[in-house]
Amino acid sequence: MNKYLFKLTHISLLQFCMVFLQKLSFNNKQICTLLETFSTQNRRLPNYEQAIQYLDKLNPDSQNSAIKACTLEDNNYHYDLKIIVAAYNAASTIEECISSILNQKTKYSLLVEIVDDGSTDKTKQLLKKYTNNDNVIVTSQKNQGFSGARNTGLKIINAKYLCFVDSDDLLEDCFAETLLDKAFAEQADIVAGGYQQFNHSGVISEFDYQNKNEFNPYELYGYPWGKIYRVDLFNRIDFPEDYWFEDTMLIYLIYGQSQTTCTVADLVYRYRSNQNGITAIAATKPKAIDSLWVTRQLLFDRKKLGLDFNEEIYKVTLQQICTNFIRCRFLGGQVQRAVFVVQQQLINDYFENSELKEDGYLKMIEKAIKSNNYLAFTVYAYSTAA
């Protein structure tokens, strides 16, 4: 009940009206027309400088680039796959996670690095049992967050491919064999497999791909886990630190480098649903604005690396700005209007001459942004999340 009371007290009048009209079976175009007639929202938009100052005061942008100061050290590639596990206060799940890694049924050589990111529970003590394994490295450090822990694992790879495993998740015993078979057969840069979402009650959902040797990397799910990556993709790239939603880096900087992306139909990864994770709690925190900040930083990094700003990344960015907007939905209308204005400027800066050819919800998003129609953008952005 408290959760629903929170939503009622934090939902804006605009959102309430939109939901009410949807319940009455009004379509998006009709909702936009009605809201434009009675609302003053479009006339209350801040300018860009005001928007930046307001958002930065609520949650300062760390402005940390994902581009490394130096490239990866020269590796001899003694292993086929390096598995990087970031662990923070994972005492209840870490042993099951590591067991699923060490019990892989594979002909390939594996190196595992577990990074204890300043845990304050028994994680560090539990990891001592693995220090005698020849192919396991246990590293301890002060807390630096998911990005800092993963970046520690990225300092020295010593393998042809790498992957990331969250400390409360599990690998199917076919993970390494299935993905590496495809990677070596096709000389792939990225290979992704299906995953299962579960919690203490059982399986929640499953997601799978078809078996394909050519796959659009921008259509991969955005999480770092459940895939393997050719080491070269991370030669100049780290996860940007001090941001929430740092995984966005993959879409903007890693997927765009891939020449050959493959998928397998097998379920290879088990993702544990975490009610206390960032995704679950973000909407109630000013830190949710990081979703915008990290997008802005990664667009800048992409330009600096000389990666294309093609139609695919334009579509991804239109989708991402809807996600950024929705993630701030409980921070109030003033925050969302500021987010809208900043994201308008991002589109102008990086995609000034871009225009979608086909109709659809992204076309409506594009029209709303270019016509400075906050109300229409709000309606269509929320419809994408429905």
Side-chain angles (χ1 to χ4, degrees):
M1 179 62 72
N2 287 340
K3 178 176 68 173
Y4 296 109
L5 287 174
F6 175 86
K7 289 185 177 182
L8 279 174
T9 56
H10 285 71
I11 192 170
S12 70
L13 180 60
L14 174 61
Q15 294 173 52
F16 178 82
C17 292
M18 187 180 69
V19 172
F20 177 73
L21 291 171
Q22 287 173 335
K23 294 293 185 183
L24 295 178
S25 300
F26 283 79
N27 63 38
N28 288 334
K29 186 175 181 179
Q30 291 170 325
I31 292 172
C32 290
T33 300
L34 283 169
L35 291 178
E36 287 169 359
T37 301
F38 297 104
S39 178
T40 61
Q41 297 291 321
N42 275 338
R43 296 191 292 274
R44 293 167 53 194
L45 292 174
N47 62 41
Y48 177 74
E49 290 75 16
Q50 291 170 333
I52 285 288
Q53 290 174 7
Y54 176 66
L55 295 174
D56 204 49
K57 184 176 180 181
L58 290 176
N59 176 47
D61 184 358
S62 65
Q63 298 186 19
N64 286 333
S65 174
I67 301 174
K68 290 181 178 178
C70 56
T71 58
L72 287 172
E73 294 184 20
D74 187 29
N75 295 293
N76 294 318
Y77 300 145
H78 293 150
Y79 296 89
D80 294 308
L81 177 68
K82 179 174 182 179
I83 301 173
I84 299 170
V85 184
Y88 174 72
N89 287 353
S92 63
T93 60
I94 190 65
E95 291 177 292
E96 188 179 14
C97 172
I98 301 305
S99 291
S100 76
I101 296 172
L102 298 181
N103 291 333
Q104 289 291 294
K105 297 178 180 178
T106 181
K107 59 182 171 288
Y108 297 107
S109 57
L110 310 180
L111 175 64
V112 184
E113 183 169 4
I114 313 162
V115 182
D116 172 40
D117 191 42
S119 296
T120 57
D121 64 359
K122 295 181 179 180
T123 299
K124 187 173 183 178
Q125 294 92 306
L126 293 173
L127 291 178
K128 289 179 181 178
K129 67 191 291 186
Y130 304 107
T131 56
N132 293 326
N133 292 55
D134 292 339
N135 65 329
V136 176
I137 301 169
V138 177
T139 304
S140 294
Q141 63 183 31
K142 292 182 180 180
N143 182 257
Q144 298 177 39
F146 260 123
S147 290
R150 288 170 177 157
N151 290 342
T152 294
L154 286 170
K155 287 180 179 177
I156 301 176
I157 302 299
N158 201 23
K160 298 171 185 175
Y161 286 88
L162 65 90
C163 70
F164 304 95
V165 178
D166 289 354
S167 58
D168 54 353
D169 294 346
L170 304 172
L171 298 186
E172 293 292 329
D173 59 15
C174 66
F175 176 91
E177 186 78 1
T178 301
L179 297 185
L180 286 169
D181 274 350
K182 175 69 78 170
F184 285 120
E186 302 300 326
Q187 293 298 296
D189 293 312
I190 304 173
V191 183
Y195 69 89
Q196 181 185 84
Q197 184 180 9
F198 73 101
N199 60 19
H200 63 280
S201 299
V203 176
I204 299 172
S205 62
E206 289 189 0
F207 176 89
D208 56 27
Y209 294 103
Q210 294 180 343
N211 191 15
K212 290 190 174 182
N213 295 338
E214 293 185 11
F215 191 84
N216 181 355
Y218 293 113
E219 294 180 6
L220 294 171
Y221 54 83
Y223 309 109
W225 43 256
K227 315 174 186 71
I228 62 173
Y229 309 86
R230 189 188 297 277
V231 165
D232 296 350
L233 296 179
F234 286 84
N235 189 43
R236 299 177 61 190
I237 306 298
D238 267 342
F239 286 89
E241 299 193 15
D242 299 324
Y243 287 111
W244 280 1
F245 314 111
E246 74 285 345
D247 296 352
T248 312
M249 179 276 292
L250 297 165
I251 300 171
Y252 281 98
L253 305 185
I254 298 299
Y255 294 173
Q257 295 184 67
S258 177
Q259 299 298 311
T260 305
T261 299
C262 303
T263 55
V264 297
D266 306 64
L267 188 149
V268 298
Y269 196 93
R270 298 187 65 210
Y271 165 72
R272 193 187 306 266
S273 182
N274 181 4
Q275 292 184 339
N276 297 316
I278 288 173
T279 301
I281 67 172
T284 67
K285 308 291 184 181
K287 189 76 171 157
I289 298 169
D290 271 2
S291 191
L292 165 63
W293 293 148
V294 76
T295 302
R296 183 174 70 156
Q297 180 63 53
L298 293 170
L299 283 166
F300 179 80
D301 288 346
R302 185 180 177 92
K303 183 176 182 179
K304 191 172 182 180
L305 289 170
L307 299 175
D308 288 342
F309 282 80
N310 52 27
E311 186 174 5
E312 288 294 333
I313 201 64
Y314 180 45
K315 289 179 181 178
V316 164
T317 301
L318 290 173
Q319 293 167 340
Q320 185 63 40
I321 65 175
C322 291
T323 298
N324 299 342
F325 185 78
I326 297 300
R327 282 174 174 164
C328 297
R329 64 191 178 279
F330 294 134
L331 299 182
Q334 188 174 355
V335 169
Q336 287 193 299
R337 289 191 293 275
V339 168
F340 172 75
V341 169
V342 173
Q343 296 192 137
Q344 271 187 306
Q345 189 63 48
L346 291 180
I347 294 298
N348 290 336
D349 287 345
Y350 293 99
F351 303 99
E352 183 180 8
N353 299 317
S354 297
E355 184 174 349
L356 295 180
K357 298 178 178 63
E358 70 274 11
D359 289 330
Y361 80 93
L362 284 182
K363 187 67 175 180
M364 302 308 298
I365 294 292
E366 179 187 64
K367 287 181 178 178
I369 292 169
K370 293 188 175 182
S371 63
N372 197 36
N373 193 329
Y374 172 75
L375 290 170
F377 175 82
T378 301
V379 172
Y380 285 100
Y382 274 95
S383 70
T384 66

mmCIF file of all heavy atoms in Angstrom, residues 116-139:
data_model
loop_
_atom_site.group_PDB
_atom_site.id
_atom_site.type_symbol
_atom_site.label_atom_id
_atom_site.label_comp_id
_atom_site.label_asym_id
_atom_site.label_seq_id
_atom_site.Cartn_x
_atom_site.Cartn_y
_atom_site.Cartn_z
ATOM 1 N N ASP A 116 36.192 -8.183 -5.060
ATOM 2 C CA ASP A 116 35.441 -7.806 -3.873
ATOM 3 C C ASP A 116 35.521 -6.290 -3.728
ATOM 4 O O ASP A 116 36.571 -5.734 -3.408
ATOM 5 C CB ASP A 116 36.014 -8.500 -2.628
ATOM 6 C CG ASP A 116 35.383 -7.981 -1.349
ATOM 7 O OD1 ASP A 116 34.160 -7.752 -1.358
ATOM 8 O OD2 ASP A 116 36.102 -7.794 -0.350
ATOM 9 N N ASP A 117 34.397 -5.643 -3.937
ATOM 10 C CA ASP A 117 34.366 -4.179 -4.019
ATOM 11 C C ASP A 117 34.042 -3.553 -2.654
ATOM 12 O O ASP A 117 33.052 -2.862 -2.490
ATOM 13 C CB ASP A 117 33.335 -3.757 -5.070
ATOM 14 C CG ASP A 117 33.413 -2.283 -5.410
ATOM 15 O OD1 ASP A 117 34.536 -1.771 -5.551
ATOM 16 O OD2 ASP A 117 32.345 -1.655 -5.536
ATOM 17 N N GLY A 118 34.925 -3.814 -1.686
ATOM 18 C CA GLY A 118 34.765 -3.200 -0.372
ATOM 19 C C GLY A 118 33.578 -3.709 0.412
ATOM 20 O O GLY A 118 32.922 -2.940 1.141
ATOM 21 N N SER A 119 33.294 -5.010 0.308
ATOM 22 C CA SER A 119 32.151 -5.583 1.030
ATOM 23 C C SER A 119 32.313 -5.419 2.538
ATOM 24 O O SER A 119 33.423 -5.505 3.081
ATOM 25 C CB SER A 119 32.009 -7.074 0.699
ATOM 26 O OG SER A 119 31.724 -7.256 -0.666
ATOM 27 N N THR A 120 31.185 -5.220 3.218
ATOM 28 C CA THR A 120 31.197 -5.092 4.680
ATOM 29 C C THR A 120 30.564 -6.298 5.360
ATOM 30 O O THR A 120 30.475 -6.335 6.585
ATOM 31 C CB THR A 120 30.441 -3.820 5.103
ATOM 32 O OG1 THR A 120 29.102 -3.861 4.590
ATOM 33 C CG2 THR A 120 31.139 -2.573 4.571
ATOM 34 N N ASP A 121 30.125 -7.284 4.578
ATOM 35 C CA ASP A 121 29.596 -8.518 5.152
ATOM 36 C C ASP A 121 30.681 -9.599 5.085
ATOM 37 O O ASP A 121 31.871 -9.296 5.119
ATOM 38 C CB ASP A 121 28.306 -8.943 4.445
ATOM 39 C CG ASP A 121 28.525 -9.288 2.970
ATOM 40 O OD1 ASP A 121 29.680 -9.187 2.484
ATOM 41 O OD2 ASP A 121 27.556 -9.664 2.292
ATOM 42 N N LYS A 122 30.319 -10.853 4.942
ATOM 43 C CA LYS A 122 31.284 -11.948 4.959
ATOM 44 C C LYS A 122 31.809 -12.327 3.572
ATOM 45 O O LYS A 122 32.475 -13.359 3.414
ATOM 46 C CB LYS A 122 30.659 -13.183 5.624
ATOM 47 C CG LYS A 122 30.331 -12.972 7.100
ATOM 48 C CD LYS A 122 29.743 -14.255 7.700
ATOM 49 C CE LYS A 122 29.435 -14.067 9.184
ATOM 50 N NZ LYS A 122 28.861 -15.291 9.792
ATOM 51 N N THR A 123 31.522 -11.515 2.581
ATOM 52 C CA THR A 123 31.947 -11.842 1.214
ATOM 53 C C THR A 123 33.447 -12.090 1.135
ATOM 54 O O THR A 123 33.898 -13.084 0.547
ATOM 55 C CB THR A 123 31.552 -10.712 0.248
ATOM 56 O OG1 THR A 123 30.135 -10.559 0.245
ATOM 57 C CG2 THR A 123 32.018 -11.021 -1.168
ATOM 58 N N LYS A 124 34.236 -11.192 1.698
ATOM 59 C CA LYS A 124 35.695 -11.311 1.608
ATOM 60 C C LYS A 124 36.184 -12.615 2.219
ATOM 61 O O LYS A 124 37.040 -13.300 1.648
ATOM 62 C CB LYS A 124 36.351 -10.127 2.307
ATOM 63 C CG LYS A 124 37.863 -10.062 2.128
ATOM 64 C CD LYS A 124 38.438 -8.774 2.705
ATOM 65 C CE LYS A 124 39.929 -8.676 2.464
ATOM 66 N NZ LYS A 124 40.484 -7.390 2.987
ATOM 67 N N GLN A 125 35.629 -13.002 3.377
ATOM 68 C CA GLN A 125 36.041 -14.260 4.019
ATOM 69 C C GLN A 125 35.645 -15.464 3.174
ATOM 70 O O GLN A 125 36.418 -16.428 3.045
ATOM 71 C CB GLN A 125 35.409 -14.379 5.409
ATOM 72 C CG GLN A 125 35.896 -13.338 6.416
ATOM 73 C CD GLN A 125 35.039 -12.082 6.447
ATOM 74 O OE1 GLN A 125 34.819 -11.451 5.405
ATOM 75 N NE2 GLN A 125 34.561 -11.732 7.641
ATOM 76 N N LEU A 126 34.458 -15.421 2.590
ATOM 77 C CA LEU A 126 33.995 -16.541 1.768
ATOM 78 C C LEU A 126 34.857 -16.726 0.521
ATOM 79 O O LEU A 126 35.030 -17.855 0.042
ATOM 80 C CB LEU A 126 32.532 -16.331 1.361
ATOM 81 C CG LEU A 126 31.497 -16.395 2.490
ATOM 82 C CD1 LEU A 126 30.121 -15.989 1.966
ATOM 83 C CD2 LEU A 126 31.435 -17.803 3.087
ATOM 84 N N LEU A 127 35.404 -15.642 0.006
ATOM 85 C CA LEU A 127 36.198 -15.728 -1.220
ATOM 86 C C LEU A 127 37.580 -16.336 -0.983
ATOM 87 O O LEU A 127 38.235 -16.752 -1.942
ATOM 88 C CB LEU A 127 36.345 -14.337 -1.842
ATOM 89 C CG LEU A 127 35.067 -13.729 -2.417
ATOM 90 C CD1 LEU A 127 35.337 -12.334 -2.964
ATOM 91 C CD2 LEU A 127 34.472 -14.618 -3.508
ATOM 92 N N LYS A 128 38.014 -16.417 0.267
ATOM 93 C CA LYS A 128 39.335 -16.976 0.562
ATOM 94 C C LYS A 128 39.456 -18.421 0.107
ATOM 95 O O LYS A 128 40.541 -18.884 -0.251
ATOM 96 C CB LYS A 128 39.620 -16.870 2.061
ATOM 97 C CG LYS A 128 39.870 -15.449 2.546
ATOM 98 C CD LYS A 128 40.133 -15.410 4.049
ATOM 99 C CE LYS A 128 40.370 -13.987 4.531
ATOM 100 N NZ LYS A 128 40.583 -13.929 6.005
ATOM 101 N N LYS A 129 38.352 -19.139 0.087
ATOM 102 C CA LYS A 129 38.372 -20.556 -0.287
ATOM 103 C C LYS A 129 38.761 -20.774 -1.745
ATOM 104 O O LYS A 129 39.135 -21.878 -2.147
ATOM 105 C CB LYS A 129 37.012 -21.196 -0.005
ATOM 106 C CG LYS A 129 35.899 -20.670 -0.888
ATOM 107 C CD LYS A 129 34.513 -21.106 -0.427
ATOM 108 C CE LYS A 129 34.270 -22.573 -0.612
ATOM 109 N NZ LYS A 129 32.869 -22.942 -0.282
ATOM 110 N N TYR A 130 38.667 -19.701 -2.559
ATOM 111 C CA TYR A 130 38.968 -19.848 -3.990
ATOM 112 C C TYR A 130 40.385 -19.418 -4.348
ATOM 113 O O TYR A 130 40.796 -19.556 -5.507
ATOM 114 C CB TYR A 130 37.967 -19.026 -4.816
ATOM 115 C CG TYR A 130 36.526 -19.380 -4.551
ATOM 116 C CD1 TYR A 130 35.695 -18.534 -3.826
ATOM 117 C CD2 TYR A 130 35.994 -20.584 -5.011
ATOM 118 C CE1 TYR A 130 34.369 -18.860 -3.574
ATOM 119 C CE2 TYR A 130 34.678 -20.918 -4.760
ATOM 120 C CZ TYR A 130 33.874 -20.055 -4.040
ATOM 121 O OH TYR A 130 32.564 -20.397 -3.784
ATOM 122 N N THR A 131 41.126 -18.903 -3.400
ATOM 123 C CA THR A 131 42.451 -18.349 -3.711
ATOM 124 C C THR A 131 43.470 -19.412 -4.107
ATOM 125 O O THR A 131 44.500 -19.083 -4.703
ATOM 126 C CB THR A 131 42.996 -17.548 -2.512
ATOM 127 O OG1 THR A 131 43.016 -18.385 -1.351
ATOM 128 C CG2 THR A 131 42.134 -16.321 -2.250
ATOM 129 N N ASN A 132 43.200 -20.661 -3.798
ATOM 130 C CA ASN A 132 44.126 -21.741 -4.171
ATOM 131 C C ASN A 132 43.830 -22.323 -5.551
ATOM 132 O O ASN A 132 44.572 -23.185 -6.026
ATOM 133 C CB ASN A 132 44.096 -22.854 -3.115
ATOM 134 C CG ASN A 132 44.670 -22.390 -1.782
ATOM 135 O OD1 ASN A 132 45.590 -21.580 -1.745
ATOM 136 N ND2 ASN A 132 44.116 -22.889 -0.682
ATOM 137 N N ASN A 133 42.745 -21.878 -6.179
ATOM 138 C CA ASN A 133 42.435 -22.341 -7.536
ATOM 139 C C ASN A 133 43.367 -21.671 -8.540
ATOM 140 O O ASN A 133 43.514 -20.446 -8.541
ATOM 141 C CB ASN A 133 40.985 -22.015 -7.895
ATOM 142 C CG ASN A 133 39.985 -22.806 -7.083
ATOM 143 O OD1 ASN A 133 40.021 -22.784 -5.858
ATOM 144 N ND2 ASN A 133 39.087 -23.503 -7.750
ATOM 145 N N ASP A 134 44.001 -22.465 -9.387
ATOM 146 C CA ASP A 134 44.972 -21.927 -10.341
ATOM 147 C C ASP A 134 44.368 -20.923 -11.314
ATOM 148 O O ASP A 134 45.063 -20.015 -11.789
ATOM 149 C CB ASP A 134 45.611 -23.072 -11.134
ATOM 150 C CG ASP A 134 46.506 -23.945 -10.255
ATOM 151 O OD1 ASP A 134 46.939 -23.449 -9.193
ATOM 152 O OD2 ASP A 134 46.754 -25.111 -10.632
ATOM 153 N N ASN A 135 43.097 -21.101 -11.641
ATOM 154 C CA ASN A 135 42.477 -20.231 -12.641
ATOM 155 C C ASN A 135 41.522 -19.207 -12.020
ATOM 156 O O ASN A 135 40.641 -18.672 -12.698
ATOM 157 C CB ASN A 135 41.729 -21.054 -13.688
ATOM 158 C CG ASN A 135 40.544 -21.802 -13.104
ATOM 159 O OD1 ASN A 135 40.568 -22.188 -11.928
ATOM 160 N ND2 ASN A 135 39.513 -22.017 -13.909
ATOM 161 N N VAL A 136 41.694 -18.941 -10.710
ATOM 162 C CA VAL A 136 40.852 -17.957 -10.027
ATOM 163 C C VAL A 136 41.727 -16.886 -9.387
ATOM 164 O O VAL A 136 42.694 -17.194 -8.687
ATOM 165 C CB VAL A 136 39.965 -18.618 -8.949
ATOM 166 C CG1 VAL A 136 39.165 -17.547 -8.194
ATOM 167 C CG2 VAL A 136 39.016 -19.639 -9.575
ATOM 168 N N ILE A 137 41.379 -15.634 -9.652
ATOM 169 C CA ILE A 137 42.031 -14.487 -9.015
ATOM 170 C C ILE A 137 41.002 -13.806 -8.132
ATOM 171 O O ILE A 137 39.886 -13.506 -8.579
ATOM 172 C CB ILE A 137 42.550 -13.488 -10.060
ATOM 173 C CG1 ILE A 137 43.552 -14.140 -11.011
ATOM 174 C CG2 ILE A 137 43.170 -12.262 -9.382
ATOM 175 C CD1 ILE A 137 43.883 -13.277 -12.219
ATOM 176 N N VAL A 138 41.357 -13.573 -6.865
ATOM 177 C CA VAL A 138 40.483 -12.818 -5.969
ATOM 178 C C VAL A 138 41.151 -11.480 -5.667
ATOM 179 O O VAL A 138 42.268 -11.436 -5.161
ATOM 180 C CB VAL A 138 40.206 -13.584 -4.656
ATOM 181 C CG1 VAL A 138 39.349 -12.727 -3.723
ATOM 182 C CG2 VAL A 138 39.510 -14.918 -4.948
ATOM 183 N N THR A 139 40.471 -10.411 -6.011
ATOM 184 C CA THR A 139 40.996 -9.060 -5.818
ATOM 185 C C THR A 139 40.093 -8.311 -4.856
ATOM 186 O O THR A 139 38.870 -8.348 -4.993
ATOM 187 C CB THR A 139 41.055 -8.302 -7.158
ATOM 188 O OG1 THR A 139 41.832 -9.045 -8.100
ATOM 189 C CG2 THR A 139 41.650 -6.919 -6.978
#
